[in-house]
Amino acid sequence: MKKIIVLISGSGSNLQAIIDQIKLNNINASIECVISNNEDAYGLIRAKESYINTQVINHNNFDSREDFDQKLIYEIEKYNPDLVVLAGFMRILSPIITSKLIGKIINIHPSLLPKYPGLNTHAKVLENKDIIHGVSIHYVDDGLDEGPLIAQGEISINAHDDIDKVIERIHKIEHDLFPYIIKLICNNLITLDENKILYSDDIELNDKNIIYKKYDI
Ligand code: GAR
């Protein structure tokens, strides 16, 4: 069974989707700890309700990003995790973290990267009248929302979609795709070798050699 650490900053609905799939035995893993930089993150309550260890490391208590990252990697390494999952963790991580977790740390981002790294992705999609939108799951390196892409999920934007509707639809596909990818990683069916992602032969890939799902949600 793989050991997972989940990092969150907010609501934790993706954390909940992962917890649910572990409880259903669909992911062969245990969440050793949920760590948040925000003591008010609702995801901490979700974790406690499932009897999962939690820890708050408030970035405001540190003089620099480097000091915060040193503390974070120190706490993460205590668990010797197989996988660190960024599930709505809204901090940029420096090489202090990323260099130690190469191939073991993944992030979900609410856009079809490389479009719209950073914040306010849904507003940008609507402002630009994009007709498709989606989510990306990638291994983390020291760029902002960068690193080798593992999978993307796509939705069409409907004429009547407002931002709340888009967020709701994006969350639905995140809650399907993220646990699925975590399951594959925990089953050693996806690994990172140097900068190249290796997929098990029976996983279907698109022409960019990533998992790509179009959702009718
Ligand atoms: C998710 O939509 C996730 O893609 C996004 O934060 C949200 C967290 O929701 N992550 C990023 O923007 C990272 N750059 P949740 O707390 O309900 O899981």
Side-chain angles (χ1 to χ4, degrees), residues 136-184:
S136 301
I137 298 166
H138 61 95
Y139 283 103
V140 174
D141 62 17
D142 39 355
L144 172 64
D145 298 319
E146 280 179 15
L149 262 182
I150 305 168
Q152 289 186 319
E154 178 193 300
I155 55 170
S156 308
I157 295 296
N158 303 321
H160 51 268
D161 278 348
D162 60 15
I163 192 147
D164 291 337
K165 188 72 193 166
V166 171
I167 291 172
E168 182 192 323
R169 293 177 64 217
I170 284 290
H171 265 131
K172 277 193 185 151
I173 70 172
E174 290 189 327
H175 300 164
D176 177 72
L177 193 59
F178 208 18
Y180 172 65
I181 296 302
I182 291 168
K183 168 191 166 140
L184 295 178

Side-chain angles (χ1 to χ4, degrees), residues 63-173:
D63 289 339
S64 67
R65 181 178 302 282
E66 287 68 30
D67 286 356
F68 171 78
D69 281 3
Q70 292 284 10
K71 171 70 174 165
L72 185 55
I73 192 68
Y74 175 76
E75 295 300 329
I76 289 172
E77 285 187 328
K78 279 187 188 169
Y79 294 95
N80 192 22
D82 299 290
L83 184 66
V84 175
V85 174
L86 307 185
F89 186 67
M90 307 307 274
R91 297 273 311 165
I92 297 171
L93 296 175
S94 73
I96 292 170
I97 304 267
T98 52
S99 65
K100 293 208 167 153
L101 293 174
I102 293 169
K104 284 187 177 188
I105 180 166
I106 61 171
N107 179 43
I108 188 158
H109 180 74
S111 79
L112 292 171
L113 292 170
K115 255 192 155 180
Y116 311 133
L119 299 174
N120 305 320
T121 61
H122 312 298
K124 288 173 189 160
V125 163
L126 291 175
E127 262 161 42
N128 293 335
K129 301 195 175 2
D130 290 356
I131 54 171
I132 61 167
H133 185 27
V135 308
S136 301
I137 298 166
H138 61 95
Y139 283 103
V140 174
D141 62 17
D142 39 355
L144 172 64
D145 298 319
E146 280 179 15
L149 262 182
I150 305 168
Q152 289 186 319
E154 178 193 300
I155 55 170
S156 308
I157 295 296
N158 303 321
H160 51 268
D161 278 348
D162 60 15
I163 192 147
D164 291 337
K165 188 72 193 166
V166 171
I167 291 172
E168 182 192 323
R169 293 177 64 217
I170 284 290
H171 265 131
K172 277 193 185 151
I173 70 172

Side-chain angles (χ1 to χ4, degrees), residues 112-115 132 148-152 154 196-197 199 204-212:
L112 292 171
L113 292 170
K115 255 192 155 180
I132 61 167
L149 262 182
I150 305 168
Q152 289 186 319
E154 178 193 300
K196 190 172 161 28
I197 298 178
Y199 297 89
E204 199 180 318
L205 303 177
N206 75 353
D207 56 353
K208 292 192 178 123
N209 280 322
I210 63 165
I211 295 170
Y212 199 94

